[in-house]
Amino acid sequence: MRLPGSRRFYVALALVALGAVLLANAHLVYVASTSQPQCVEHAGGDFGAAKPSC
C-alpha cells in the first residue's frame, strides 16, 4: 500500500492527531475536576497522608 505524497494529507493527519490529543486531555481535566473521591481513612506508616480530609 502506498501512502499519498500530498503535503495536505500529512497536515490534515497531524491536525486530526492533535485534535484527538487535545480532546483526550480536556476529558481528563473535566473528569478530574468534577469527580469527588470517597473519604478514605489512611493507615499510619511511612507513606500516609499528611492531613486526611476526613
Side-chain angles (χ1 to χ4, degrees):
M1 182 173 145
R2 189 164 180 240
L3 291 175
S6 171
R7 181 177 178 175
R8 186 180 296 168
F9 170 77
Y10 291 110
V11 169
L13 186 64
L15 289 174
V16 167
L18 181 62
V21 170
L22 290 175
L23 282 174
N25 283 333
H27 178 258
L28 288 174
V29 169
Y30 171 75
V31 168
S33 63
T34 58
S35 66
Q36 183 65 30
Q38 296 285 335
C39 183
V40 177
E41 289 291 334
H42 295 278
D46 295 335
F47 300 108
K51 193 175 197 183
S53 62
C54 301

